[in-house]
Amino acid sequence: MHLNKFLIFLFLFKILFSSDFIILNWQNIKNLKDFSTTYDIEIPYVKIEDEKNMMNEVINKGCKIENFKVFPIGITPKFKSKAYICYDSENLIIYFESEKSENYTLKARKFEKEEGKVWNDDNFEIFIDPFLTKTRYYQIIINSIGQVYDSINYIEEIPDPKAADPRETKKNIIIDISWDSKVNYNIKVEKNYWAVVLKIPFLSFGFKNAPLGSFIGLNLCRNYWETSELLQWKLTPGEGGFHQPDKFGILKLKETDSKKMPLIFINNFYPGYGENLLYVDYKKIENIPEEVEVEIKIENNDTKEKFIKNEKVVLKGIEGKIKIPFENKLKGKNIFYYNIGFKNYNFGGIDFVDLKSLIDVKLDKQFLYYEEKSLNGKIRFYLGENELKKTELLISLNENSKREKIKGNFCEFKVATEHLKEGENIFSITLYKDKDKIEQYNFKIFKLPKIF
């Protein structure tokens, strides 16, 4: 009798604590940068020799943009516009020109404070997505007397209150007018046209120098009250109006000397909480300095806290990979900037991550039918790469549990449920580091009774 009980115990122990009790299918999420991006125009480097003659220099040496269309239908406007774009080591330079009738007086007002009303004047409007995020972009508007509006805008997905399904979302635009573009400009108003040339510092976007070889999202627009026309270089019809960065044009900063340009890019970076690693791949062609400066900056949208790390790195050999460790303890919505610079070259990138929860757990279902033999789901970890290596995961279902080292930042799991009791059960996921509990997530799992 005692032997039978012992054999039953061994049988149940083997089932509950075998590898079949919890099966984890680990995967790594690669945040690879796409370097095969196609672009609309490639803009040249122009060294402005004479600031007083800057308009003519940009027209003669810059890349021309024309064929502006009327928003949103795409017809040819009554009065045409054109632009010329180039860059120097510190600025993106845009010349913008629009025709007008000789007797028309441009609508322009001076405002006591910046509040966006300048877009109700005749104006030129520029949208810039310097990191090609398609969600975070800058807006600059200027009228004919030099009134400037500038803001940084974010697009976020929020629950759609009109949708029956709570999982459906809609886009919401957040506008922050505290951003200062530090733009310099010259304005020219003639009888049959008016024009402006703008120098927008790359430093305003977080670049120390011109980000050579980078891709930048851009749209150019013009508001014209004589004919009530809105013009765009790239049409953005739809609910978002002008604020649709996924429809912007893409420009590339032409490299000044490809034979001497180093190929440097940031790879395999998925930022998170705790100890992170930034990987920098490089290939040296010739005349590249052995030492580069790397800057990592984290900015928290919720608390406005900032973390900055600067490090000088020696490049060894013709090609290689740099690993730069850094720690992030800022929870909430974080923006990660990273820049690599030397001499007049600069390479940069940006990532976004919401660290309000360090793991995201999705269960296929919380109510299990009697016949179902497993609980399935997914786990996404928002931890830095080094943090992942030092963290353990404990998965528990009632009194039964399995502890395992984390082997990636994403996994699918399957938990055996044949021996669950009917009614309420507790499923728990806990993160540990050095035996200290970091976070715990509990879920109620209900097993429905057998129906005869």
Side-chain angles (χ1 to χ4, degrees):
M1 184 69 177
H2 292 292
L3 179 60
N4 288 340
K5 286 184 177 180
F6 180 72
L7 291 175
I8 292 171
F9 171 78
L10 286 179
F11 173 74
L12 291 175
F13 184 89
K14 183 178 180 181
I15 290 176
L16 293 176
F17 292 94
S18 69
S19 60
D20 292 335
F21 168 63
I22 298 175
I23 298 174
L24 298 174
N25 179 23
W26 290 99
Q27 299 175 39
N28 284 318
I29 295 178
K30 302 291 186 183
N31 187 16
L32 300 178
K33 301 300 174 187
D34 182 6
F35 297 98
S36 60
T37 303
T38 57
Y39 53 91
D40 296 283
I41 58 173
E42 188 174 38
I43 65 172
Y45 173 89
V46 174
K47 186 175 181 180
I48 304 297
E49 302 291 348
D50 181 5
E51 291 289 330
K52 293 180 181 179
N53 195 36
M54 183 165 58
M55 281 191 176
N56 288 333
E57 287 202 52
V58 176
I59 291 172
N60 292 331
K61 300 175 183 177
C63 180
K64 186 177 183 180
I65 292 179
E66 50 188 349
N67 298 322
F68 285 77
K69 299 296 183 182
V70 175
F71 171 85
I73 54 178
I75 62 174
T76 302
K78 182 177 179 181
F79 291 98
K80 294 181 180 180
S81 292
K82 60 184 176 181
Y84 296 85
I85 306 180
C86 60
Y87 74 97
D88 62 20
S89 59
E90 296 179 350
N91 305 281
L92 181 66
I93 306 172
I94 302 175
Y95 171 87
F96 218 146
E97 180 184 303
S98 176
E99 297 175 348
K100 72 179 189 68
S101 62
E102 290 189 5
N103 297 324
Y104 177 67
T105 301
L106 293 167
K107 183 179 179 181
R109 294 165 293 171
K110 188 173 179 64
F111 300 100
E112 295 300 322
K113 60 180 181 178
E114 183 180 20
E115 53 186 346
K117 292 181 179 179
V118 69
W119 58 53
N120 290 318
D121 291 350
D122 290 302
N123 63 62
F124 295 121
E125 193 165 358
I126 300 167
F127 292 87
I128 303 174
D129 181 1
F131 297 97
L132 210 58
T133 64
K134 300 185 179 181
T135 57
R136 185 177 187 270
Y137 56 99
Y138 300 81
Q139 182 180 8
I140 301 173
I141 310 174
I142 186 168
N143 66 11
S144 59
I145 59 172
Q147 284 289 288
V148 173
Y149 167 90
D150 43 23
S151 67
I152 179 172
N153 307 325
Y154 307 83
I155 293 180
E156 64 173 3
E157 295 284 341
I158 62 172
D160 188 348
K162 297 180 180 179
D165 187 339
R167 293 171 297 181
E168 291 188 26
T169 61
K170 70 171 188 175
K171 291 181 179 179
N172 181 50
I173 300 173
I174 300 173
I175 298 175
D176 180 3
I177 64 172
S178 65
W179 177 69
D180 183 3
S181 64
K182 296 181 173 57
V183 61
N184 291 312
Y185 58 85
N186 289 324
I187 295 171
K188 185 177 183 180
V189 179
E190 299 292 343
K191 287 184 178 180
N192 58 355
Y193 76 94
W194 76 286
V196 61
V197 62
L198 304 101
K199 290 177 68 174
I200 308 166
F202 288 115
L203 192 60
S204 298
F205 307 125
F207 293 111
K208 288 188 174 181
N209 307 104
L212 300 182
S214 294
F215 300 100
I216 294 176
L218 178 81
N219 209 4
L220 303 177
C221 311
R222 190 211 71 178
N223 298 347
Y224 192 44
W225 285 91
E226 183 179 6
T227 57
S228 298
E229 290 177 331
L230 302 176
L231 270 60
Q232 290 187 301
W233 171 42
K234 295 294 182 180
L235 287 175
T236 60
E239 188 177 347
F242 285 14
H243 294 262
Q244 298 184 74
D246 56 322
K247 297 178 181 177
F248 291 175
I250 299 176
L251 60 85
K252 181 182 179 182
L253 272 62
K254 188 175 182 179
E255 299 162 359
T256 55
D257 187 345
S258 60
K259 291 183 179 180
K260 296 182 180 180
M261 271 296 297
L263 303 178
I264 294 188
F265 51 90
I266 295 163
N267 207 353
N268 289 6
F269 180 57
Y270 34 89
Y273 182 83
E275 297 179 33
N276 286 261
L277 275 179
L278 178 68
Y279 290 94
V280 181
D281 295 350
Y282 68 90
K283 292 182 181 179
K284 295 197 296 185
I285 298 178
E286 61 176 78
N287 298 330
I288 178 175
E290 291 185 354
E291 188 177 77
V292 298
E293 182 178 349
V294 179
E295 180 187 65
I296 300 168
K297 183 171 72 171
I298 307 169
E299 184 177 337
N300 188 276
N301 271 5
D302 300 323
T303 64
K304 303 305 179 185
E305 290 181 84
K306 292 184 179 180
F307 165 85
I308 298 177
K309 177 176 182 176
N310 289 286
E311 185 169 321
K312 291 185 177 179
V313 179
V314 176
L315 305 182
K316 298 178 180 180
I318 292 180
E319 61 182 272
K321 183 186 292 288
I322 307 167
K323 289 196 298 186
I324 302 169
F326 68 95
E327 189 171 36
N328 171 49
K329 293 293 185 181
L330 303 180
K331 286 190 175 182
K333 292 183 178 179
N334 289 336
I335 306 170
F336 287 74
Y337 299 87
Y338 29 94
N339 280 285
I340 304 164
F342 53 92
K343 287 192 174 180
N344 294 326
Y345 299 139
N346 194 92
F347 300 82
I350 190 170
D351 272 284
F352 305 89
V353 65
D354 191 343
L355 299 177
K356 289 181 179 176
S357 295
L358 300 188
I359 65 173
D360 181 22
V361 182
K362 296 189 185 303
L363 300 176
D364 286 357
K365 55 180 70 175
Q366 287 183 267
F367 290 85
L368 300 175
Y369 289 105
Y370 192 86
E371 307 82 34
E372 291 182 278
K373 298 180 180 181
S374 66
L375 172 69
N376 303 330
K378 301 177 179 66
I379 307 175
R380 167 74 160 97
F381 299 89
Y382 293 97
L383 298 169
E385 183 178 344
N386 269 0
E387 195 80 8
L388 284 167
K389 295 175 182 178
K390 299 179 180 181
T391 308
E392 287 187 316
L393 178 67
L394 178 69
I395 296 183
S396 303
L397 184 54
N398 292 343
E399 302 301 321
N400 308 311
S401 63
K402 181 179 182 181
R403 195 164 184 148
E404 184 171 326
K405 281 282 189 181
I406 295 180
K407 301 172 185 175
N409 56 350
F410 176 81
C411 76
E412 296 181 350
F413 64 82
K414 179 183 289 187
V415 183
T417 58
E418 292 178 275
H419 306 286
L420 281 187
K421 64 182 181 180
E422 292 182 3
E424 182 178 307
N425 299 268
I426 300 299
F427 178 64
S428 175
I429 296 177
T430 311
L431 286 175
Y432 286 92
K433 182 181 178 183
D434 300 327
K435 297 183 180 180
D436 294 326
K437 184 189 294 185
I438 300 175
E439 286 197 18
Q440 183 172 359
Y441 301 82
N442 295 321
F443 304 89
K444 292 181 179 180
I445 305 297
F446 299 90
K447 187 167 185 179
L448 302 178
K450 186 174 182 181
I451 301 175
F452 296 98

